[in-house]
Amino acid sequence: MSVVTRFAPSPTGMLHLGGARTALFNWLYARHHGGSFRLRLEDTDSKRSTPEAIAAIVDGLGWLGLDWDGEMVRQSARRQRHVEVAHGLLAAGGAYRCYCSPEELETMRAEARAQGRAALYDGRWRDRDPAEAPPGVDPVIRFRAPQEGETVISDLVQRRIKVDNSALDDMVLLRADGTPTYMLSVVVDDHDMGITHAIRGDDHLSNAFRQTQLFRALGWEPPAYAHIPLIHGADGAKLSKRHGAVAVGAYAELGILPAAMRNALLRLGWSHGDDEIIDTAQAIAWFDLDAVNRGAARFDMEKLHSLNGHYIRESADADLLAEVEPRLAATYPLAATAEGRRRIAALLPEAKARAKTLVELAENLAFLFRDPHDAMTPKARRLLDNLDPEAEARLGALARMLEELEGWDEALLERVVRAFAEGEGVGLGKIAQPLRAALTGSHASPGLFAVMAALGREETVTRLGHAGESGRSER
Ligand code: GLU
């Protein structure tokens, strides 16, 4: 039997980390076994399901590279089928009409609570003659759940778990207005879609018992369940906004690469020895459910950043250029021109070794397009302000020499600047420090000669010319 998994989000908000991890695990399990991965939007709650939330799910999965097989299923479109199944079960005696009014149910619950019992429906219409139905009450249809024995689930993560059937009441399948409940819809859809494995958050564990009972009553085989532990923050508390963004879309904006996000999500509750860096091909080859931990997983932003740094270093320069260019062009239109791309491309090999996010990478390259005086670090400012006349004259002479230089590449620039320093009888640092400050507005930057090569002759000479001017104007 071929494996069929599904991701079944309720589109009522953003795609959050927990949902993304559920999607990833289902996707990996299907890909590992050569099966299929389906997407089902559980959008039956028409008040809370929004087009924005659907878009966030579709975009989030697209960004993560989790492609689904076949058409995306919208649960709301299958309503008629859900109703039919409930009526079929009713006809077969596996369900019954319940005419309790909301007030009656409330009293029933209050009494149960007062006696310290669970607030379960007491089954009062289970065997009652429908002829006794009060007039004017639209009945709900309830599942005639087994009352004796126990329901056992062989969960692929939680192992064998069971519940006494007496602890579960007769759940509603169709509401008084005829609409199917979530519990009915999930069971019918999982069956009709041929789902063999349902991997989901362990907040659905208690549902699994009721769903299993319903599957059996319908004469169907439930999927194998795998309930994965919830995600906590690095401090052990349940994941919330204060641990950083919880919506997947926010990570794209923060400059996280999908490959890094997949790796980080994979490590949330799943491990393969001590391996931290596991790319997607490797994950597909290794993924199975035996290695899912039963304890809560911890999401660690720092770990994500360090993984992201790794995947940035591994990325092709052309791919990084495509990511960084629009980020820079939003502020510096020059970045989107051929000259702008040339400058970025020239420095990428070096800059990508030091960035943990695409945002940081773009920031580290911004000096290529910005007037150094607009964002001068205090240290660089001090350095330029305190240049003695001799050093200032030296920069001027260097600028003139560079203007005349034949050729312009990193190796050549290194050679001539070193020779220039020697000719002036000073150490390279005496030249390099003010040069770096004048060109980048910072005292720390990528390799000086790579910077000069990237800026190009004209921009280098212009910035050198402005260095002294500004220093004077500040005094
Ligand atoms: N729609 C449910 C949710 O978003 C998931 C149901 C399931 O996976 O069975 O939490």
Side-chain angles (χ1 to χ4, degrees):
M1 182 182 57
S2 178
V3 163
V4 184
T5 64
R6 52 38 165 210
F7 177 44
S10 306
T12 55
M14 295 292 104
L15 176 60
H16 51 81
L17 289 179
R21 182 199 46 176
T22 298
L24 175 70
F25 281 20
N26 279 286
W27 182 83
L28 283 173
Y29 194 75
R31 295 293 172 258
H32 175 85
H33 289 282
S36 29
F37 168 65
R38 309 289 314 272
L39 173 61
R40 179 173 78 227
L41 293 177
E42 305 212 310
D43 59 346
T44 49
D45 184 343
S46 56
K47 277 191 226 90
R48 293 177 60 218
S49 300
T50 65
E52 292 75 25
I54 294 175
I57 290 165
V58 169
D59 293 351
L61 292 178
W63 179 71
L64 280 168
L66 305 182
D67 54 331
W68 60 89
D69 301 302
E71 292 288 310
M72 167 173 94
V73 171
R74 294 191 62 154
Q75 194 160 61
S76 58
R78 298 183 29 83
R79 190 163 142 175
Q80 203 43 47
R81 164 74 177 150
H82 303 150
V83 171
E84 270 165 32
V85 170
H87 281 287
L89 197 61
L90 182 68
Y96 61 92
R97 292 193 173 85
C98 163
Y99 292 87
C100 280
S101 65
E103 296 74 38
E104 214 179 325
L105 285 173
E106 195 31 62
T107 314
M108 189 190 302
R109 288 197 195 102
E111 274 169 15
R113 274 193 297 268
Q115 292 166 15
R117 289 184 284 115
L120 300 178
Y121 171 70
D122 64 5
R124 62 182 64 179
W125 280 94
R126 219 176 137 99
D127 299 308
R128 198 158 154 193
D129 186 350
E132 293 173 24
V137 175
D138 290 327
V140 300
I141 292 182
R142 286 186 185 269
F143 174 49
R144 190 185 297 279
Q147 290 178 314
E148 270 135 43
E150 52 190 29
T151 298
V152 181
I153 294 175
S154 301
D155 191 275
L156 295 173
V157 173
Q158 315 286 336
R159 316 285 158 80
R160 188 173 183 277
I161 36 174
K162 56 181 186 170
V163 70
D164 280 338
N165 289 337
S166 59
L168 302 176
D169 59 0
D170 291 346
M171 64 180 165
V172 175
L173 301 178
L174 290 186
R175 300 186 189 91
D177 64 2
T179 57
T181 57
Y182 160 74
M183 294 293 266
L184 170 67
S185 305
V186 170
V187 167
V188 176
D189 289 350
D190 278 346
H191 171 263
D192 288 2
M193 291 167 75
I195 304 301
T196 60
H197 294 77
I199 306 169
R200 58 189 183 186
D202 66 9
D203 47 335
H204 286 285
L205 192 55
S206 59
N207 289 343
F209 292 110
R210 293 177 182 279
Q211 289 167 3
T212 297
Q213 291 182 340
L214 186 53
F215 265 102
R216 300 232 163 96
L218 288 163
W220 300 336
E221 193 52 41
Y225 289 109
H227 288 94
I228 51 184
L230 296 183
I231 303 175
H232 288 194
D235 58 359
K238 196 165 177 279
L239 195 67
S240 71
K241 286 231 168 69
R242 82 193 152 76
H243 295 106
V246 280
V248 165
Y251 289 92
E253 273 169 47
L254 289 170
I256 301 296
L257 292 175
M261 197 72 211
R262 283 195 297 273
N263 194 150
L265 290 172
L266 173 67
R267 293 286 290 102
L268 285 177
W270 185 87
S271 47
H272 183 271
D274 291 331
D275 294 313
E276 286 294 346
I277 293 173
I278 305 170
D279 70 17
T280 301
Q282 198 65 75
I284 291 175
W286 284 342
F287 190 80
D288 224 327
L289 293 166
D290 332 335
V292 174
N293 307 326
R294 267 185 285 172
R298 291 193 180 202
F299 177 72
D300 185 340
M301 198 66 179
E302 232 168 87
K303 233 183 204 173
L304 175 63
H305 276 149
S306 106
L307 282 170
N308 204 44
H310 166 82
Y311 285 97
I312 287 180
R313 289 192 292 282
E314 297 279 298
S315 292
D317 290 355
D319 294 341
L320 291 176
L321 178 64
E323 290 286 350
V324 164
E325 184 208 300
R327 287 175 193 268
L328 286 166
T331 316
Y332 313 105
L334 179 63
T337 65
E339 167 62 11
R341 278 192 288 275
R342 187 198 60 72
R343 287 188 194 178
I344 299 170
L347 268 196
L348 263 182
E350 213 190 303
K352 76 180 186 185
R354 293 172 301 111
K356 292 264 195 293
T357 68
L358 296 173
V359 169
E360 200 181 313
L361 184 61
E363 267 166 18
N364 291 346
L365 292 170
F367 78 88
L368 288 171
F369 304 103
R370 143 179 96 200
D371 183 336
H373 294 290
D374 287 349
M376 186 79 57
T377 65
K379 211 164 163 185
R381 159 86 55 214
R382 236 176 294 127
L383 208 141
L384 289 180
D385 284 354
N386 296 329
L387 279 188
D388 54 40
E390 210 179 318
E392 223 168 84
R394 223 182 274 129
L395 274 193
L398 177 64
R400 280 190 297 283
M401 189 269 279
L402 292 174
E403 223 166 352
E404 303 300 322
L405 188 65
E406 224 167 282
W408 193 269
D409 63 60
E410 192 178 334
L412 172 70
L413 288 162
E414 170 154 15
R415 248 188 349 263
V416 299
V417 174
R418 280 185 188 282
F420 179 81
E422 245 169 68
E424 293 283 317
V426 294
L428 181 64
K430 272 265 179 283
I431 306 278
Q433 280 183 355
L435 190 52
R436 184 191 295 280
L439 294 182
T440 68
S442 162
H443 59 282
S445 71
L448 178 60
F449 305 110
V451 165
M452 294 170 78
L455 283 173
R457 183 200 308 272
E458 208 184 309
E459 186 65 19
T460 300
V461 172
T462 309
R463 291 188 185 192
L464 277 182
H466 290 164
E469 283 165 26
S470 138
R472 268 189 295 279
S473 71
E474 290 290 314
R475 279 176 216 157

